[in-house]
Amino acid sequence: MDRRRFLRLSGALGSLGVGAPFALQLAAAGSAAGQSAPDYKALVCIFLFGGNDAHNTVLATDQDSWGRYFDTRNTGTDPIALMPVGAAPTPVGQTSSVTGRVSDLGSPEAWGGVLPITPRTAQRVPEGTNAASRTFALHPFLAPLQTLFNQGRLAVLANVGTLIQPTTKAQYQARSVAIPTSLFSHNDQQSTWQALSQEGARTGWGGRMADVVAGMNGQNTLFTAISTAGNAVFLSGQSVVQYQLSTGAQPAVVISGQQGSTLFGSSLGPSNLRSLITDTNVASNFAADYATTVSRSISAASTVNSAFSQSPVTGVATAPAYTNPLTQRVEANTLALQLQTVARMIAASSVLGVRRQVFFVSLGGWDTHDFQNATQPNLLAKVAHAMSYFDTALSNIGGVDRRGQVTTFTASDFGRSFTTNGDGTDHAWGAHHFIMGGAVNGGDMYGQYPTLGADVNGFNNPDNVGGALIPTTSVDQYGATLGRWFGVSDSDVDLIFPRVRNFSTRYLGFV
């Protein structure tokens, strides 16, 4: 059934109330949204597969918090504690005045101090933090993000994670409230972040948003949800099908043999092959569905490649070369290449006739149980390099600054333990994330930055259970805030994020 027939049917069914099936409600919402013609908007999810150590990404640097952080992490066979604000890099082979250890390229002593940021709004000092006020910083290799923060186009969301309802430490320990299923499991928490349900979920909240707004894209609904990172449950909708792109110079892959002038020496070969693989007049329903999918793919590839030849797309800035800060060698930054393809799709949006798009890109390798000093800094530097490039690319697409139309945000399986296992960290829960864009109320920190410290020597950290942070902001609130900016109504937010009503604050104000 095509979309027009479906919407006519839903109209014939009469007004759809809250008890109507979820797919029908989203279809009706998409139809209503499609009546207007708003300006272009896009959401871009950067997923960090493996679970990023947020404690070494966004840090509290007031004396009390820093003391607990440094005492806890400056231990083990390969300490992962970063150097304080203002610390100069210790030349390789020399002894650090901070730690008394000999510096090498893979040790925090060689990287210099963390980079200070000053949020516009003062953070509340939480229970157990003995400081008059709090100060903050970013990892030493996040300098491009420090710049974006200071320019007001980047915000930090503190201690966000999967929640069913607000949860205190006492409630968690007593199991007196519902807790997300399979905490600390990669597959389940990746799914819960992307779909609000454990592994096996069929739709994600990005795809459900796409269902609602697809009507704004006219005939090209296929280009509503786009992944450069393979199939992602985040983009799976009830009706919207995610479109997957490669990151090559010609992203839309076509089937070999059906586009040339000849095939096997025959001028009729290409057209015969195309007819054969797209023939739906077959006895098998499976074969017919397969042929329909192939036909749609060929058509979409042709459309995308034609759009990509237009001047606004060809003028998109190329991602600059990336240098690994630990080895000083130039290497590929796959995240930057994915965002380059996203920038080209955004540049082609007017040619494609789309006004709302959701994108999914990713970077793996964040499961730093071991050798964190050799892994996380390079990954963070890649994120900073890619996001800074993307901000620059969007600033001039066909002579137009598109940054106010695109909001980019990070996500990951979970945070990691505050304690170290000697040279790395283990699976945890809450984490800090970044939101970037011209519409972002940047230069500020949202949510509640937690109390730091392990439960030792009589200290009972209210935000920490077994080394994991209990989130104080939910993924539902995170997504709902993004959805509202994207054009999703309050009632549709309730459909897409049904648990957001469990929280007193629905929208967080970062965009």
Side-chain angles (χ1 to χ4, degrees):
M1 182 181 295
D2 64 28
R3 184 178 183 81
R4 282 200 178 96
R5 289 178 60 201
F6 184 82
L7 292 175
R8 282 199 298 270
L9 175 60
S10 66
L13 291 174
S15 176
L16 295 173
V18 295
F22 185 59
L24 292 181
Q25 293 184 61
L26 287 181
S31 178
Q35 301 306 311
S36 60
D39 292 336
Y40 178 85
K41 285 186 178 181
L43 288 173
V44 182
C45 175
I46 299 176
F47 204 91
L48 312 178
F49 279 101
N52 176 41
D53 176 26
H55 292 296
N56 269 19
T57 303
V58 182
L59 303 92
T61 57
D62 55 88
Q63 185 175 358
D64 182 60
S65 297
W66 184 264
R68 294 179 188 178
Y69 162 84
F70 199 80
D71 287 346
T72 301
R73 293 198 152 197
N74 189 37
T75 60
T77 56
D78 189 10
I80 61 173
L82 300 175
M83 298 300 103
V85 171
T90 302
V92 173
Q94 295 188 20
T95 301
S96 167
S97 61
V98 177
T99 65
R101 292 190 294 268
V102 176
S103 173
D104 62 63
L105 281 176
S107 68
E109 289 86 350
W111 310 335
V114 293
L115 307 175
I117 57 172
T118 304
R120 290 184 291 104
T121 305
Q123 277 273 310
R124 179 179 63 84
V125 180
E127 177 186 349
T129 301
N130 300 313
S133 61
R134 305 195 88 176
T135 55
F136 302 96
L138 303 179
H139 189 282
F141 292 153
L142 291 179
L145 297 191
Q146 180 195 38
T147 299
L148 288 168
F149 186 91
N150 292 339
Q151 292 173 343
R153 292 195 302 281
L154 184 83
V156 173
L157 180 57
N159 198 17
V160 56
T162 57
L163 286 171
I164 293 175
Q165 63 190 77
T167 302
T168 66
K169 183 173 183 175
Q171 290 171 329
Y172 174 83
Q173 292 175 329
R175 293 297 192 268
S176 59
V177 297
I179 303 295
T181 303
S182 301
L183 283 177
F184 319 122
S185 158
H186 284 295
N187 291 350
D188 289 295
Q189 290 307 295
Q190 288 166 8
S191 179
T192 305
W193 259 90
Q194 295 181 42
L196 309 179
S197 180
Q198 68 196 85
E199 186 179 20
R202 294 181 177 271
T203 67
W205 53 269
R208 295 195 291 270
M209 280 190 197
D211 285 331
V212 170
V213 301
M216 300 181 189
N217 290 340
Q219 297 301 308
N220 283 331
T221 57
L222 183 60
F223 303 121
T224 305
I226 298 173
S227 172
T228 64
N231 189 54
V233 69
F234 175 75
L235 291 181
S236 296
Q238 294 280 1
S239 59
V240 164
V241 177
Q242 60 184 290
Y243 186 67
Q244 298 177 41
L245 281 172
S246 70
T247 56
Q250 191 81 343
V253 177
V254 295
I255 296 174
S256 176
Q258 52 90 35
Q259 279 198 322
S261 58
T262 64
L263 178 63
F264 302 126
S266 169
S267 60
L268 298 177
S271 61
N272 287 343
L273 173 61
R274 188 160 49 251
S275 296
L276 180 65
I277 61 180
T278 60
D279 182 13
T280 58
N281 188 26
V282 290
S284 166
N285 288 334
F286 177 84
D289 286 345
Y290 181 80
T292 299
T293 301
V294 170
S295 180
R296 182 179 62 210
S297 298
I298 292 173
S299 176
S302 177
T303 300
V304 169
N305 286 334
S306 175
F308 271 36
S309 67
Q310 305 295 315
S311 57
V313 184
T314 57
V316 169
T318 301
Y322 171 75
T323 301
N324 184 320
L326 300 181
T327 65
Q328 299 303 308
R329 296 175 181 170
V330 175
E331 62 183 52
N333 184 351
T334 58
L335 182 59
L337 295 177
Q338 290 175 70
L339 289 175
Q340 180 175 311
T341 297
V342 171
R344 298 180 77 194
M345 283 298 293
I346 290 169
S349 60
S350 58
V351 178
L352 295 172
V354 295
R355 294 184 177 275
R356 285 292 186 275
Q357 290 182 291
V358 187
F359 295 92
F360 184 87
V361 301
S362 73
L363 185 65
W366 299 86
D367 194 17
T368 53
H369 288 284
D370 302 295
F371 311 114
Q372 180 163 310
N373 285 336
T375 304
Q376 192 200 27
N378 185 37
L379 292 173
L380 288 174
K382 285 184 175 181
V383 170
H385 169 264
M387 291 180 69
S388 178
Y389 151 72
F390 192 49
D391 175 78
T392 299
L394 293 175
S395 70
N396 183 10
I397 291 182
V400 178
D401 187 342
R402 304 288 292 272
R403 290 177 295 189
Q405 300 173 323
V406 182
T407 297
T408 304
F409 61 100
T410 63
S412 191
D413 315 18
F414 35 59
R416 303 192 75 84
S417 58
F418 184 68
T419 53
T420 174
N421 58 27
D423 66 344
T425 49
D426 298 315
H427 299 180
W429 196 357
H432 318 310
H433 285 285
F434 297 115
I435 310 104
M436 180 185 78
V440 171
N441 297 318
D444 214 349
M445 182 177 291
Y446 297 83
Q448 176 60 55
Y449 198 94
T451 304
L452 297 182
D455 292 344
V456 294
N457 300 325
F459 177 66
N460 181 23
N461 187 336
D463 296 325
N464 186 303
V465 285
L469 291 175
I470 302 174
T472 44
T473 296
S474 73
V475 175
D476 301 70
Q477 293 169 287
Y478 193 9
T481 306
L482 292 165
R484 189 189 197 192
W485 170 82
F486 197 50
V488 178
S489 68
D490 290 345
S491 58
D492 292 330
V493 163
D494 284 343
L495 287 174
I496 297 168
F497 305 97
R499 293 195 294 255
V500 76
R501 288 169 287 187
N502 295 340
F503 300 87
S504 59
T505 302
R506 176 181 299 208
Y507 304 122
L508 304 174
F510 57 71
V511 65

